[in-house]
Amino acid sequence: MSAERIDGKAFAADLRERVGAIAADFENTAGRKAGLAVVLVGDDPASTVYVRSKGKATVAANMASFEHRLPADTSDDSLLALVEQLNNDPAVDGILVQLPLPAHLDEQTIISAISPDKDVDGFHVINAGRLSVGQSGFVPCTPLGCIMLLTDRLGDLSGLEAVVIGRSNIVGKPMAQLLLDANATVTIAHSRTKDLPAVVRRADIVVAAVGRAHMVKKDWLKDGATVIDVGINRLPPAEGEEKGRLVGDVDYQDVADTAGAITPVPGGVGPMTIAVLLRNTLVAAHRNAAIDLAEGAI
Ligand code: NAD
């Protein structure tokens, strides 16, 4: 049997549309648009593309986008001053500082300076803490997008065995926390895990967030497992190609007959990240303006 393809692109388009409709209502009620400020330091080509597409998606969802581009040699102090200005700006509901920052800047210091109530990326330690004790805060966009895809497909995750491969602060750890909150039995695997294939074979749900092309093969999977592939890896260009193909951490072709369902790369988890960022910004706007947003509306 061939695995069902989990269409993250379509799910994300639907989420962006719902966010756009609620953002229009927000504007009518609040008398202003919900606003997202994105700060880009330097001119890393991939970051420049991400920032541009975040800006476009924000405007398309009836929200205001404020883009701040700073030169690569910006000092900690000037970046902190900008963050402080955005923290105090009532038109700004969400602040995102595009990572990675140039090496001379301290990412933790900068992220800690963002007001936790405007930290729509969910990277501030206060929001990591809120997630771990079950208080409402902001959850990192990529894992929140993954849990949305999982609950959409599987419904109740109670008692399911979930294995998260990767333990980063932005994907693996919050992903495991969300699965735990959904009552799954969770294992976090990582670079030091012994016999990784045997660990992964226990899983009803596999989330791969490593950054190694085609690492997960079919003999790693239990029959019918649901696979969420977070990895984004560029293969070396094949003959006649200018750029190599983008692939995930899971060997999609290889696992197609074993997995029950799987997210493709591209078109799976990737599009969810920006859609959830818009969702988090709209949630922040409602909180900042003290306007109720029905539980589970977005
Ligand atoms: P990271 O480098 O911070 O973490 C990678 C994790 O993989 C580490 O915790 C490490 O322990 C684990 N690991 C490394 N080698 C391993 C091995 N051989 N076996 C098992 N585990 C191993 O990366 P990250 O920021 O968590 O991102 C992971 C992947 O997800 C990357 O490919 C990244 O590009 C992608 N990503 C995608 C999105 C998206 O929007 N789709 C968002 C964030 C990250």
Side-chain angles (χ1 to χ4, degrees), residues 142 165-168 170-171 190-191 196 209-212 215 230-233 269-270 273:
T142 301
I165 319 174
R167 57 175 163 184
S168 71
I170 62 168
V171 189
H190 47 79
S191 53
L196 184 57
V210 177
R212 289 173 73 119
M215 182 177 80
V230 182
I232 301 177
N233 311 288
V269 174
T273 301

Side-chain angles (χ1 to χ4, degrees), residues 128-161:
R130 285 170 174 161
L131 176 61
S132 84
V133 297
Q135 287 178 8
S136 77
F138 291 107
V139 177
C141 303
T142 301
L144 186 52
C146 294
I147 203 89
M148 286 177 180
L149 294 177
L150 281 168
T151 47
D152 180 61
R153 180 179 155 79
L154 298 172
D156 186 7
L157 308 185
S158 288
L160 295 180
E161 285 275 352

Side-chain angles (χ1 to χ4, degrees), residues 26 29-32 90 93 282-292:
F26 175 86
T29 313
R32 67 170 181 88
D93 297 293
L282 192 56
V283 170
H286 282 79
R287 288 182 190 157
N288 293 340
I291 295 173
D292 280 344

Side-chain angles (χ1 to χ4, degrees), residues 79-94:
L79 183 52
L80 288 170
L82 173 59
V83 168
E84 196 48 32
Q85 179 199 317
L86 298 172
N87 281 341
N88 294 321
D89 185 343
V92 172
D93 297 293

Side-chain angles (χ1 to χ4, degrees), residues 3-6 226-229 250-252 255 259-264:
E4 187 189 321
R5 185 171 174 277
I6 300 175
T226 301
V227 182
I228 303 290
D229 191 353
V250 181
D251 191 335
Y252 191 99
V255 306
I262 179 168
T263 56

